[in-house]
Amino acid sequence: MASKATSPRFGSDRGSPGPRHVAIIMDGNGRWAKKRMLPRVAGHKAGVEAVRRTVRSARELGIECLTLYAFSSENWKRPEQEIVDLTGLLKHFIRADLDEFHENGVRLRVIGDYRAFEPGAVALIDEALARTRDNKGSTLVIALNYGAQDELARAARTLAQQAVRGEIDPNIIAPGHISALLDTVDLPPLDLLIRTSGEQRLSNFLLWQCAYAELYFTDRLWPDFDHDALVEAIGNFRSRERRFGGL
């Protein structure tokens, strides 16, 4: 397995098989804590450390865009205290890591309706987005209060409204019209989706964008995900032949 010192860079050179854009469903924090007889919040704290490791590794490996599924639109069903804990960890992560991101040219993006969070978290997110908006290095995308079905429904409503106003002929609506209305419109096409913890489902994440993405599932729980795990996933991606429907 490649070590940190010898790992190649992925996706940074023209003509490279990539991936340029990697997304991760970060799953397994609760099970990680349960195995150690710790409270769930301990698993979430360990998960934040895994985020730090993965963001740094992605940058070192030359990945252009990394998207992390941090909080789904369905996660509001969780106990109130867990939501409070997750929000607090999000705020701590931004405060602790924003300077490092900015110094390394990382542009932060959020997909989903993050304004549903409490005002203090919203203010910190706004500050982070504004501060890093013009950075030209890699892009870190955090999915907050995000659901792919809602994203697609919003795009469909917009197209329906445009058709009612006579701005578009519904008979010419094509996939490109939908893609242009998604939260990810300014991001590279998704190449690789990773899900940790052994689960093999998309959980309402980037459903449209996954149309031709490669899927990679690992039994490793998210708090245990590290540089070598990312290199392994990318190596698996690079071993596949991507035909995009052709021969």
Side-chain angles (χ1 to χ4, degrees), residues 125-148:
I125 295 168
D126 283 339
E127 176 189 349
L129 295 176
R131 187 175 174 191
T132 64
R133 181 181 295 121
D134 297 326
N135 287 347
K136 304 300 184 184
S138 60
T139 299
L140 172 62
V141 184
I142 307 294
L144 292 171
N145 192 26
Y146 171 87

Side-chain angles (χ1 to χ4, degrees), residues 151-182 208:
E151 179 186 33
L152 289 167
R154 284 188 278 112
R157 283 195 299 272
T158 298
L159 288 171
Q161 291 162 358
Q162 291 175 351
V164 168
R165 293 193 297 265
E167 297 171 359
I168 188 171
D169 179 352
N171 293 309
I172 69 163
I173 292 175
H177 292 94
I178 297 173
S179 295
L181 294 170
L182 299 181
W208 181 273

Side-chain angles (χ1 to χ4, degrees), residues 187-242:
L187 302 176
L190 181 61
D191 294 309
L192 172 63
L193 176 75
I194 300 169
R195 180 166 188 153
T196 60
S197 87
E199 303 293 347
Q200 297 187 21
R201 57 180 178 271
L202 297 181
S203 295
N204 199 20
F205 185 50
L206 300 178
L207 299 181
W208 181 273
Q209 296 85 346
C210 278
Y212 279 103
E214 297 296 322
L215 308 182
Y216 177 85
F217 301 104
T218 174
D219 290 334
R220 193 181 301 228
L221 301 175
W222 175 246
D224 295 326
F225 199 83
D226 58 14
H227 180 88
D228 288 344
L230 182 60
V231 169
E232 183 178 346
I234 294 173
N236 181 279
F237 168 88
R238 290 168 66 96
S239 73
R240 302 182 188 183
E241 184 177 355
R242 306 181 76 198

Side-chain angles (χ1 to χ4, degrees), residues 38-81:
L38 296 171
R40 285 180 63 84
V41 68
H44 293 315
K45 288 179 179 178
V48 170
E49 292 305 315
V51 168
R52 289 194 174 99
R53 291 194 300 269
T54 303
V55 171
R56 289 166 181 161
S57 294
R59 189 176 68 246
E60 292 167 5
L61 294 169
I63 295 171
E64 184 177 333
C65 182
L66 176 68
T67 298
L68 302 178
Y69 202 10
F71 193 95
S72 78
S73 53
E74 289 77 32
N75 285 157
W76 296 108
K77 301 173 186 175
R78 294 190 177 188
E80 182 177 355
Q81 185 55 52

